[in-house]
Amino acid sequence: MFSYRHAFHAGNHADVLKHTVLIAALERLLEKDAPLTVIDTHAGAGLYRLDGDYAGTSGEAAQGVLRLLSPDADAAPSAPARKPPVPDEPAPALARYLELVRSFNRAGQARVYPGSPFIAQHLLREQDKLKLYELHPTDARTLDANVAQLEAGRQVAVLREDGFGSATKFLPPPSRRALVLTDPSYELKTDYARTAAFVAEALKRFATGVYAVWYPIIPRPEAHELPRRLKTLANKAGKPWLHATLTVKSSKIASTPDGQGKRPGLPASGMFLINPPFTLADQLRPALAQMAAWLAQDRHAGFTLEHGG
Ligand code: SAM
């Protein structure tokens, strides 16, 4: 049914962006005592090996989180040493992300990478709830097994259902505080339109929820259209929004001697939030600048950060 497996991509530059933003947003929301419900509509397997076959084959983590962890971290021997174009220490939002990834590993090692379900669960308190949707049979089984080890009881629910189809049934939660992460693989072209339709429906049911959407920035009209549609939805609902993007390299197809050309892999991605916590933009700006500098693969690297509403 699906061929996408997040294990190939775990810890890549897109995860660095997505998970840094997720942590910063969750930490602001958790400053209030009232219970928070987190819904992850596309959860993945929850935990990934950085020293396993998947990550080793793709090498994506080596160009992502492994560049940012201490150079002596023992994970993938092929991880390129970080060039230090920025002399400072990580900005607080990036430092929190790295600290959280380190907390899943022994000192000096970087073998395990926490996906969004484990990042959220790590931060949540007893009174909070986590709903995880995963449709891929293998990843759903792995997610179930990983979650079982947490012994988190009724705090965490794994649903082997379509995250687009039924996640809105939890909105609004009784405490009227929720963050919904929508992070599809966009393996199907229809995922772009389904994401926009899902957010529209969710906003209708619960206008004050925090909605976070990750999307790839690739040469495809639907990918460019999605943030525009989300911005329109937020503006029509009169809600604030935040849009952060990270580019690590050019999206141009490189020429090869056989004339076939070489696709560059994912060059950039974005996170679009509706109802972001108040101080998020200020926290993210220095972290994004460092990500762009430290994860750059060519001179096209950079970031954008816009907010409005
Ligand atoms: N959010 C995860 C993280 O940050 O660690 C990564 C998720 S990965 C990008 C997308 C996941 O969505 C894949 O594991 C895929 O099997 C799953 N998926 C695809 N379509 C789905 C659907 N309609 N409902 C729920 N899960 C789906």
Side-chain angles (χ1 to χ4, degrees):
M1 180 180 52
F2 299 111
S3 59
Y4 181 93
R5 308 296 303 281
H6 196 65
F8 286 106
H9 311 287
N12 69 359
H13 62 85
D15 268 5
V16 175
L17 170 70
K18 179 202 324 171
H19 294 153
T20 300
V21 175
L22 176 66
I23 292 166
L26 278 174
E27 289 197 326
R28 293 296 74 73
L29 292 169
L30 294 169
E31 284 168 1
K32 286 196 182 150
D33 287 341
L36 181 74
T37 295
V38 177
I39 302 172
D40 195 341
T41 61
H42 295 70
L47 285 174
Y48 304 95
R49 298 292 310 198
L50 291 176
D51 57 356
D53 288 347
Y54 290 112
T57 307
S58 75
E60 291 189 25
Q63 303 277 25
V65 67
L66 293 175
R67 274 201 191 186
L68 303 178
L69 291 166
S70 67
D72 57 341
D74 157 28
S78 58
R82 188 182 90 197
K83 282 191 251 129
V86 181
D88 311 328
E89 284 304 301
L94 191 54
R96 279 296 292 132
Y97 162 73
L98 295 173
E99 192 187 314
L100 198 150
V101 174
R102 282 197 190 99
S103 74
F104 281 82
N105 288 281
R106 292 205 185 131
Q109 292 187 345
R111 299 190 168 181
V112 173
Y113 187 79
S116 51
F118 273 67
I119 289 176
Q121 202 279 333
H122 185 86
L123 297 173
L124 294 189
R125 308 148 307 175
E126 230 171 44
Q127 66 265 42
D128 304 316
K129 293 267 186 283
L130 182 57
K131 313 284 184 200
L132 305 171
Y133 282 84
E134 175 53 50
L135 214 45
H136 192 292
T138 312
D139 281 355
R141 232 185 351 261
T142 310
L143 179 63
D144 250 338
N146 284 332
V147 166
Q149 290 193 20
L150 289 170
E151 296 185 1
R154 291 161 60 92
Q155 183 188 45
V156 184
V158 176
L159 299 103
R160 295 185 184 200
E161 293 170 30
D162 178 4
F164 288 129
S166 68
T168 52
K169 74 182 175 198
F170 293 112
L171 299 175
S175 67
R176 301 196 68 84
R177 301 186 71 233
L179 179 144
V180 183
L181 172 65
T182 300
D183 177 28
S185 50
Y186 299 96
E187 191 185 355
L188 304 172
K189 209 164 79 173
T190 49
D191 277 355
Y192 296 94
R194 292 192 81 196
T195 296
F198 172 78
V199 173
E201 168 67 17
L203 262 176
K204 228 184 269 169
R205 290 178 72 108
F206 182 38
T208 55
V210 178
Y211 300 101
V213 173
W214 177 88
Y215 71 96
I217 301 179
I218 49 176
R220 179 186 261 270
E222 297 83 0
H224 289 283
E225 190 54 30
L226 180 58
R228 286 201 282 268
R229 290 176 75 171
L230 295 171
K231 198 184 291 182
T232 303
L233 282 173
N235 287 336
K236 278 197 176 149
K239 297 297 172 195
W241 53 269
L242 178 152
H243 184 202
T245 70
L246 174 68
T247 300
V248 297
K249 59 184 168 184
S250 163
S251 61
K252 291 231 163 62
I253 296 177
S255 54
T256 52
D258 63 5
Q260 294 290 310
K262 185 171 175 279
R263 291 201 170 275
L266 182 68
S269 70
M271 275 288 269
F272 196 99
L273 275 76
I274 299 178
N275 294 321
F278 192 52
T279 54
L280 200 62
D282 288 344
Q283 286 179 311
L284 290 179
R285 197 176 301 282
L288 286 165
Q290 290 181 336
M291 284 178 214
W294 291 353
L295 300 181
Q297 293 182 35
D298 67 25
R299 65 187 172 80
H300 297 274
F303 77 96
T304 63
L305 181 63
E306 285 182 288
H307 53 108

